[in-house]
């Protein structure tokens, strides 16, 4: 798939997730086969105020590229200036978050709330398109709630305003992440526009990614929660390898991820990230719940790693 001049060389790619898709995790996903990665959402106003958190989110490794950077906001002027900054920082694609369902975000008119004002959002996209020299994309939901499923209308508006590609998470804002993702909505968007469409929702393997493409006609698949504790989900060859080789491969990925976390972040935040990710990596280990308890009780990154290694060795 191509988004403007940016070529996506793999079927699946990592979805942006707040507090998760930082540079170390994105690079790991990229090395495992993700065709493109996207930063966590960055609040446009915070980015312009040089807020340390926003600057940290914008940090990336050169090896990640192509890289999409995602903005959160509602004010056209602020978004335009923030998008211009991301472009100068090296974003290959700028993505507007139109799908975040969290009340603290939508209450401010951002995220999925942009889907409620199609006319106003068209003006925002028009301003962004006029400013950006790199591709502009949007990530949307099925709609605000089950009575307002307007993904098709929003996608058609976005295409008319010059957006280069669309990602569709078909759950409504009111569903958040509950229930089954209605893939039929992705197919409806595919049929309604000419620009590339990426599907997202309830994909936890490459087999499911291929099924989504077959059922909806989407050109790419975004995997979010299915990659937590399993960044090798993007590796097309993993399932064909012998079990022992798979175990060794996963062990190398986990060790490299933790090494990147410790090099990239200061000790306090590195500890938070290692606890979070190693807890996800316990999936499938013997006594995983007990391991997670010890992980979250650990006081240092070294201790977290030793706890995880001990349980992993016992499991083997």
């Amino acid at each position: 798939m191509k988004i403007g001049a940016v070529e996506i060389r793999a079927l699946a790619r990592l979805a942006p997730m707040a507090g998760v898709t930082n540079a170390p995790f994105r690079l790991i996903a990229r090395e495992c086969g993700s065709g493109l990665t996207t930063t966590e959402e960055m609040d446009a106003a915070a980015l312009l105020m040089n807020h340390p958190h926003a600057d940290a989110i914008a940090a990336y490794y050169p090896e990640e590229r192509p890289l999409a950077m995602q903005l959160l906001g509602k004010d056209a002027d602020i978004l335009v200036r923030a998008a211009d900054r991301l472009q100068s920082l090296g974003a290959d694609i700028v993505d507007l978050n139109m799908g975040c369902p969290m009340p603290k975000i939508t209450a401010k008119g951002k995220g999925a709330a942009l889907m409620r004002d199609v006319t106003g959002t068209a003006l925002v996209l028009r301003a962004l398109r006029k400013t950006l020299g790199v591709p502009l994309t949007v990530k949307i939901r099925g709609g605000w709630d089950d009575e307002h499923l307007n993904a098709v209308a929003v996608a058609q508006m976005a295409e008319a305003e010059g957006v280069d590609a669309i990602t569709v998470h078909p759950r409504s804002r009111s569903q958040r992440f509950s229930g089954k993702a209605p893939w039929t909505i992705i197919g409806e968007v595919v049929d309604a526009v000419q620009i590339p469409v990426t599907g997202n929702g309830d994909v936890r393997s490459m087999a499911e990614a291929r099924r989504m493409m077959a059922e909806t006609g989407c050109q790419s698949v975004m995997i979010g929660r299915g990659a937590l504790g399993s960044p090798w989900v993007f590796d097309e060859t993993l399932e064909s390898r012998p079990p022992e080789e798979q175990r060794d491969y996963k062990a190398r990925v986990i060790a490299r991820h933790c090494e990147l976390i410790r090099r990239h972040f200061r000790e306090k935040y590195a500890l938070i990230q290692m606890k979070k990710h190693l807890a996800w990596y316990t999936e499938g280990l013997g006594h995983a719940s007990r391991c997670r308890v010890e992980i979250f009780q650990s006081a240092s990154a070294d201790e977290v790693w030793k706890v995880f290694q001990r349980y992993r060795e016992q499991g083997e």
Side-chain angles (χ1 to χ4, degrees):
M1 183 179 82
K2 290 187 74 175
I3 299 177
V6 178
E7 188 170 356
I8 315 300
R9 298 178 180 274
L11 180 155
R13 55 193 175 106
L14 180 66
M17 291 174 282
V20 177
T21 49
N22 46 49
F25 188 58
R26 294 194 310 266
L27 182 56
I28 285 296
R30 193 84 168 89
E31 291 176 349
C32 286
S34 174
L36 178 73
T37 56
T38 307
T39 65
E40 305 169 56
E41 59 192 35
M42 286 176 267
D43 186 272
L47 188 66
L48 293 176
M49 290 188 292
N50 296 315
H51 192 286
H53 181 63
D55 288 342
I57 291 175
Y60 64 93
Y61 296 105
E63 306 96 295
E64 290 182 64
R65 301 182 70 175
L67 173 68
M69 295 188 180
Q70 188 181 72
L71 278 175
L72 181 71
K74 66 172 182 177
D75 182 277
D77 178 61
I78 292 174
L79 281 166
V80 162
R81 288 188 288 131
D84 189 52
R85 181 172 180 198
L86 292 185
Q87 188 172 238
S88 68
L89 288 173
D92 297 293
I93 295 169
V94 172
D95 183 74
L96 179 62
N97 183 323
M98 295 175 57
C100 181
M102 303 306 292
K104 67 179 181 179
I105 299 298
T106 57
K108 298 175 183 176
K110 304 173 184 179
L114 292 175
M115 296 187 68
R116 302 182 78 181
D117 181 10
V118 179
T119 302
T121 301
L123 297 176
V124 170
L125 293 176
R126 190 176 305 169
L128 285 169
R129 179 68 287 163
K130 187 176 180 180
T131 298
L132 287 170
V134 299
L136 170 64
T137 63
V138 295
K139 189 169 189 286
I140 67 173
R141 285 209 160 224
W144 181 255
D145 54 32
D146 290 342
E147 285 70 49
H148 302 88
L149 296 174
N150 64 339
V152 167
V154 170
Q156 289 174 326
M157 174 275 290
E159 180 179 37
E161 296 299 339
V163 166
D164 295 282
I166 299 170
T167 297
V168 183
H169 182 112
R171 288 184 178 88
S172 67
R173 184 277 322 172
S174 60
Q175 272 187 282
R176 293 207 196 175
F177 301 102
S178 64
K180 186 177 180 181
W183 288 1
T184 52
I185 291 176
I186 300 171
E188 290 168 3
V189 172
V190 170
D191 292 339
V193 298
Q194 298 300 310
I195 56 178
V197 175
T198 295
N200 176 219
D202 293 351
V203 174
R204 296 181 178 276
S205 68
M206 292 306 294
E208 289 179 348
R210 287 188 287 271
R211 183 166 65 85
M212 175 182 274
M213 291 184 76
E215 291 184 11
T216 69
C218 66
Q219 291 179 261
S220 173
V221 174
M222 199 175 259
I223 301 176
R225 288 178 296 164
L228 301 180
S230 186
W232 41 77
V233 69
F234 299 103
D235 192 324
E236 290 266 21
T237 69
L238 181 62
E239 293 177 1
S240 63
R241 301 182 189 185
E244 186 175 344
E245 192 176 320
Q246 288 189 35
R247 284 194 299 273
D248 291 343
Y249 171 78
K250 291 177 181 179
R252 288 195 303 272
V253 169
I254 295 169
R256 173 153 169 76
H257 187 189
C258 288
E259 178 190 1
L260 287 171
I261 288 173
R262 298 184 72 171
R263 287 205 319 237
H264 190 80
F265 298 113
R266 293 181 179 177
E267 171 67 22
K268 184 177 179 180
Y269 194 67
L271 175 59
I272 293 170
Q273 283 292 307
M274 284 186 66
K275 284 182 176 182
K276 181 186 295 187
H277 284 281
L278 285 175
W280 283 322
Y281 283 129
T282 63
E283 185 68 31
L285 283 184
H287 306 292
S289 59
R290 195 161 67 204
C291 179
R292 287 191 288 270
V293 169
E294 289 193 39
I295 281 174
F296 286 111
Q297 290 175 341
S298 298
S300 69
D302 281 341
E303 186 180 349
V304 171
W305 180 244
K306 288 175 182 176
V307 167
F308 178 79
Q309 285 293 88
R310 186 174 76 250
Y311 275 90
R312 188 174 179 276
E313 288 166 5
Q314 288 173 358
E316 289 181 352

